[in-house]
Amino acid sequence: MDEAMRKEYPRPQFVRDEWINLNGEWEFEFDDRDQGIAAGWHRSRSFSRRIRVPFCYQSELSGIGTSEFHDTVWYRRFFTLPENNADRRWIAHFGAVDYEAKVWVNGRLVASHEGGHTPFSADITFAVKAGENEIVVRAQDYSRDVCLPRGKQYWKEKSELIFYTRTTGIWQSVWLEPVADTYLRSVRFTPDIDSNEIGIRTFLGGRRERISGLKLRISIAFGGEEVAEDEFAVREPEEARVIRLHDFNDHGLGRWWTPEKPNLYDVRFTLLKDGQVVDDVRSYFGMRKISVEDGKICLNNRPYYMKLVLDQGYFPGGLLTAPSGDDLRRDVELTKAMGFNGARKHQKIEDPLYLHWCDKLGLLVWGEMANAYQYSETYARRIIGEWQEAIERDYNHPCIVVWVPLNESWGVPNVLVDKRQQHHALTMYHLTKSLDPTRLVISNDGWEHLKSDIATVHDYEWRPDILERRYATAESAIGSIAQNRWIYVPGFPYEGEPVQLSEFGGISFRARGEDGEGWGYSAAKDAADFLERLTNVLRPVLRSSALQGYCYTQLTDVEQEINGLLAFDRTPKLPLETIRRLNEGRFEPSGGE
């Protein structure tokens, strides 16, 4: 069964050479009566099923593949550690477990975590031994709870409309990592292209009393050539440095990061104890700035028009989990081949490897939280905690330029009139800004904005004459009632923010005539009709002087939703070059021209 496991290193922006991959076959059990803890299932008990990690039991690649409700599930496997463990610590890493997780090693509880899309780690040194060790995971989901941050996962057994098959349990990689008694836990990069400096914060893990005698060396290279180095004595678990990059950079045409030139600096962190290397980590950053200047969205201080595609991040066989790292890279390559310079990752905190390929190949990303559907105090606590973890995980990726904590009033369905929900939406905006002031933030993407850096509109109108009139000016766009919604909540006026059409299109089409029902926001009967309809929605959008970007719905079909530019298996419905031509505004002459 291990042939289906994810084998690539799971954390490409913070790499150590030595690690143990725990993906592959695990023992597995449903616990529908929730009796496992009381019955001691975490202590040397065999489970009757087998599952392929990191695929959830609802997926085909897990080896199980059922959409039945099973909200409590258990996992078990063994791993072997070498004899030479003196002065080493062992860290267990989980990319994502949906929704709550408890982890035992050799019967001892080592971790508890809440949040279905964000990672967690545990120092398991006190629980392991040389030789064979047992790890047990209990995951608990709340499949019917509409106050759970779940994204597109449906609270009914069968998917329908815009909601898809659920994910329960482990759905991103699990791995072990040996580190020194004191080690580099994380780093944080903040580029400043205006001063050509990179701010670096470093965070140590392990025993604070062992900091004495530590030094940290930071080496920065570009294209294999070292451009800066700093070495300093470590006095505290958190340290900060600002390093000037003295290499040549001719006003953005040299080494700044853009989708067209995704330049990256390589970084090596070497932690030394009394002159001996105790930790060695490789990373990277991009020198990039996103801002709004005089009402214009700017990338690296220059106006930049965003051409995004909505990407749900679902995969045949794996649901939220890509079958392989190559599949994540392929999605980035296909997006770029169609002429898009970015993706709005919709209702999902995506696998870090996807963001790595966006960094490396050059694709802007709007990072969006997986929302709940209804408001409650429990929902507010859940989403605030998990959103903070998401920002912390992805802060260093230069590809991410916009944060979207809320979408289409999900979780705040009465935000138009409910003061509590208005305060919550404003809190999510300001919380995000407090955690990351370097990126743009949208309080509520699509409509019913309160405070946003971009005025975004969702509009699935398909008639070109109406689109042309509606987006003739920023005022007409903001004054419209797209999808029967106010764009701004009364009392929160539009203040000249740049306008983007962040969802439109959604044309359904089965290119290969497959059987079965499917839907979109408008329908094409054949390839020629599909091309004409694409042209009819893209032409007025690209010609609008009011819009500073758009996001077309969507990259691929997903289950019953057949409005992708690609089929679910990533087969293009039109030649990639044809879609690229439309995105570039190269429309074939027609009778109206």
Side-chain angles (χ1 to χ4, degrees), residues 280-519:
D280 187 46
V281 175
R282 298 187 305 280
S283 187
Y284 65 85
F285 63 84
M287 294 297 288
R288 188 269 300 123
K289 176 184 178 182
I290 186 73
S291 61
V292 173
E293 310 292 345
D294 195 25
K296 297 288 186 182
I297 296 174
C298 293
L299 183 65
N300 300 336
N301 296 324
R302 298 176 179 181
Y304 194 89
Y305 193 94
M306 295 188 189
K307 300 179 180 181
L308 312 178
V309 68
L310 192 80
D311 185 350
Q312 311 266 15
Y314 273 74
F315 297 88
L319 300 178
L320 287 178
T321 309
S324 72
D326 289 340
D327 292 286
L328 292 166
R329 175 173 183 159
R330 183 183 176 213
D331 276 4
V332 177
E333 292 172 336
L334 286 167
T335 300
K336 288 180 67 72
M338 289 186 287
F340 296 101
N341 57 31
R344 179 173 160 227
K345 211 66 193 184
H346 189 42
Q347 289 298 299
K348 180 186 181 186
I349 306 298
E350 187 54 276
D351 190 313
L353 193 59
Y354 172 85
L355 298 176
H356 167 73
W357 287 119
C358 292
D359 292 337
K360 197 170 181 63
L361 301 177
L363 195 70
L364 301 175
V365 174
W366 288 22
E368 182 175 318
M369 180 58 188
N371 291 160
Y373 212 59
Q374 295 292 338
Y375 184 83
S376 70
E377 292 82 358
T378 299
Y379 146 80
R381 176 189 59 78
R382 287 166 168 171
I383 196 170
I384 287 171
E386 191 170 358
W387 182 236
Q388 290 182 80
E389 293 180 352
I391 294 172
E392 179 181 359
R393 192 199 78 171
D394 293 340
Y395 180 90
N396 290 336
H397 288 285
C399 67
I400 295 182
V401 291
V402 176
W403 292 120
V404 185
L406 296 175
N407 166 73
E408 291 188 349
S409 302
W410 287 25
V412 285
N414 296 320
V415 70
L416 194 69
V417 295
D418 188 325
K419 296 297 183 183
R420 286 199 314 162
Q421 294 183 25
Q422 291 175 7
H423 285 304
H424 175 72
L426 287 168
T427 294
M428 294 300 287
Y429 172 87
H430 289 295
L431 173 67
T432 306
K433 282 291 192 182
S434 75
L435 297 172
D436 182 3
T438 71
R439 291 178 170 93
L440 306 181
V441 179
I442 297 169
S443 69
N444 186 19
D445 190 43
W447 52 61
E448 296 175 345
H449 290 271
L450 294 98
K451 172 65 176 174
S452 291
D453 297 330
I454 306 173
T456 57
V457 182
H458 295 178
D459 187 353
Y460 286 102
E461 176 59 55
W462 55 272
R463 291 165 291 187
D465 55 328
I466 295 178
L467 287 170
E468 190 166 335
R469 289 196 302 271
R470 188 172 287 168
Y471 299 100
T473 66
E475 289 71 23
S476 64
I478 297 305
S480 67
I481 309 179
Q483 309 300 122
N484 202 32
R485 299 274 190 154
W486 297 103
I487 305 303
Y488 275 78
V489 170
F492 296 88
Y494 171 63
E495 297 179 335
E497 294 87 1
V499 181
Q500 289 205 14
L501 190 58
S502 59
E503 280 189 33
F504 77 112
I507 303 163
S508 66
F509 174 49
R510 287 194 186 274
R512 295 170 295 186
E514 302 100 321
D515 295 328
E517 295 182 358
W519 78 279

Side-chain angles (χ1 to χ4, degrees), residues 248-258 261 263 300 302:
F248 179 68
N249 194 328
D250 61 344
H251 306 289
L253 301 178
R255 298 183 176 182
W256 290 347
W257 186 96
T258 68
K261 294 184 178 180
N263 297 310
N300 300 336
R302 298 176 179 181

